[in-house]
Amino acid sequence: AQSVTQLDSHVSVSEGTPVLLRCNYSSSYSPSLFWYVQHPNKGLQLLLKYTSAATLVKGINGFEAEFKKSETSFHLTKPSAHMSDAAEYFCVVRKRDGYNKLIFGAGTRLAVHP
Amino acid sequence: ETGVTQSPTHLIKTRGQQVTLRCSSQSGHNTVSWYQQALGQGPQFIFQYYREEENGRGNFPPRFSGLQFPNYSSELNVNALELDDSALYLCASSHEGVPNYGYTFGSGTRLTVV
């Protein structure tokens, strides 16, 4: 069965410092993994996706994630946080079982302080 | 290229009533899926439609039903509303058959059942 676990429910950083949001996945085969961001009272926006090509994936707004099969991890990073990065972040795996549904983690709320 | 549009944005219904939520898919996408996001949680898969037929369903009762139209737009219907149905309902469109396809989400419909 496929699943994702987001290791932190809340992360707080200062503006200009690095961001690390952690995600571990469980999958019996090479997964398709995504990171989505949700700003308050908004829908979901795709940050980046991994689909078995390069293990280091670059996304929008300076975010990137590295797929590490040996650690079953797909952590999201950004070198320097901006106030506008404050939002809820979801790590997502696509389940392949004849149809392709997305399985979401519980989310990590990122707070950015001046 | 248009995105995914959902209507209405907010809705208040009384327990026991019925509700219909609407979604217009992104141009060129042939698949639509619906997700329920309860407060403070990650989205949960309700069902998916492809070529006007339901081809996948999550752990939701039959009072949750849907339709997909020839133009790939979609409706989510919920009968006999319960208080626990209060949530943000998200629609996502995608294109089955395109390798490594992604999902485009709408901004959601916030349903409150009182």
Side-chain angles (χ1 to χ4, degrees), chain B residues 18-23 32-35 46-57 60-69 72-79 89 91:
Chain B
Q18 178 266 345
V19 69
T20 297
L21 310 182
R22 295 178 174 82
C23 172
V32 65
S33 49
W34 286 89
Y35 290 79
I46 303 175
F47 45 54
Q48 176 175 287
Y49 278 81
Y50 172 64
R51 292 184 175 178
E52 303 177 50
E53 291 190 2
E54 183 183 300
N55 73 339
R57 191 176 186 90
F60 281 82
R63 59 188 186 84
F64 284 79
S65 63
L67 286 172
Q68 186 184 30
F69 300 101
Y72 303 125
S73 65
S74 177
E75 288 182 354
L76 164 66
N77 298 290
V78 187
N79 294 322
Y89 288 85
C91 169

Side-chain angles (χ1 to χ4, degrees), chain A residues 38 49 94 99-100 102, chain B residues 35 37 48 55 100-101 103:
Chain A
Q38 187 175 39
K49 63 180 178 180
R94 178 161 62 206
Y99 62 96
N100 299 294
L102 299 179
Chain B
Y35 290 79
Q37 186 179 16
Q48 176 175 287
N55 73 339
N100 300 323
Y101 60 86
Y103 300 79

